[in-house]
Amino acid sequence: MSSITDPAFLPVMESFYTIQGEGFYSGTPAYFVRLGGCDVGCVWCDVKESWDASQFDWFSVEDITKEAQASGANVVVVTGGEPLMYDLSELTKSLKQAGLQTNIETSGAYLLTGDWDWICFSPKKFKAPLDEFYTLSHELKVVAFNKSDFSWAASHAEKMHTESQLFLQPEWSKEKEMTPLIVDFVKQNPRWKISLQTHKYMDIP
Ligand code: SF4
């Protein structure tokens, strides 16, 4: 999709200033830009309304940057949907020129574009990731939906570089069932850490 759209414009489903609830940056104030469009098809996806990009208006990277800057945030998290369905080079150039830190959350199913300070790679079983994300990403975040996801997570961790951060996160609807299993797994595999969707516990977006 990136080859047929102008990287100066992107479909924004929503954008808002909040607290990053998950992963390495959990607890950090961040301006979220949620791009519309995803064809990964996770059965447990909690933002299915993001999948159809045609529902959303396209905004210039200039306007997205102005809004992010006006929020007062230091960190911008670009998420989706699957944000790398688009060429994000113009967006990150603009955000960096404005002095903002660029973080992305991606399934890794599309080629990486853009200049990122932090890449959170969250592979999904439903569409295989590209190999480049194992070396380029700072963080691996695996959402655990059932017991088989632990060995699946370990198979991805083996390919990550040694400095990368590893997080296991219970899928929200299975949180009660999966969290104790994740606790056991992390104690037995101490390179991993637990990521909880703390924004949901705090009832913030
Ligand atoms: Fe939903 Fe993300 Fe999976 Fe896309 S990659 S279906 S947005 S959870």
Side-chain angles (χ1 to χ4, degrees):
M1 183 169 292
S2 58
S3 59
I4 57 165
T5 59
D6 180 348
F9 292 87
L10 293 164
V12 178
M13 175 183 165
E14 58 181 352
S15 54
F16 50 95
Y17 189 23
T18 185
I19 307 296
Q20 168 61 290
E22 310 176 0
F24 184 79
Y25 275 87
S26 181
T28 304
Y31 185 80
F32 273 67
V33 177
R34 186 184 303 285
L35 299 182
C38 186
D39 63 356
V40 176
C42 305
V43 290
W44 42 259
C45 177
D46 59 358
V47 277
K48 287 189 170 130
E49 61 277 20
S50 71
W51 291 5
D52 179 6
S54 69
Q55 298 180 77
F56 307 113
D57 293 330
W58 292 65
F59 292 84
S60 68
V61 297
E62 195 184 341
D63 284 346
I64 296 170
T65 302
K66 274 189 199 153
E67 293 287 323
Q69 212 171 14
S71 75
N74 294 327
V75 176
V76 175
V77 177
V78 179
T79 186
E82 173 41 67
L84 288 174
M85 290 177 81
Y86 310 97
D87 178 350
L88 300 180
S89 51
E90 290 299 319
L91 177 63
T92 54
K93 191 166 137 196
S94 175
L95 292 171
K96 279 182 168 283
Q97 277 170 355
L100 295 163
Q101 178 174 328
T102 57
N103 290 18
I104 187 168
E105 299 186 344
T106 177
S107 68
Y110 286 85
L111 278 176
L112 185 71
T113 52
D115 180 5
W116 300 99
D117 295 307
W118 192 264
I119 299 171
C120 174
F121 167 42
S122 186
K124 305 295 186 324
K125 283 181 173 169
F126 311 93
K127 193 171 170 93
L130 304 179
D131 283 344
E132 63 175 0
F133 287 91
Y134 297 103
T135 45
L136 296 175
S137 303
H138 305 87
E139 171 181 359
L140 173 71
K141 184 174 69 186
V142 175
V143 177
F145 183 72
N146 58 43
K147 286 179 187 169
S148 70
D149 289 337
F150 292 101
S151 57
W152 190 78
S155 72
H156 289 289
E158 278 171 15
K159 299 192 225 169
M160 294 292 290
H161 60 88
T162 51
E163 300 297 309
S164 57
Q165 300 281 328
L166 307 179
F167 288 94
L168 269 169
Q169 178 173 297
E171 194 276 323
W172 182 247
S173 69
K174 296 275 206 80
E175 182 260 337
K176 292 272 182 296
E177 180 187 335
M178 294 309 295
T179 300
L181 301 178
I182 292 175
V183 169
D184 287 345
F185 181 87
V186 167
K187 284 161 81 176
Q188 286 162 24
N189 300 275
R191 220 194 125 198
W192 287 88
K193 295 177 190 166
I194 297 176
S195 169
L196 296 175
Q197 292 184 294
T198 54
H199 53 294
K200 294 190 178 176
Y201 294 95
M202 289 187 280
D203 200 20
I204 57 176

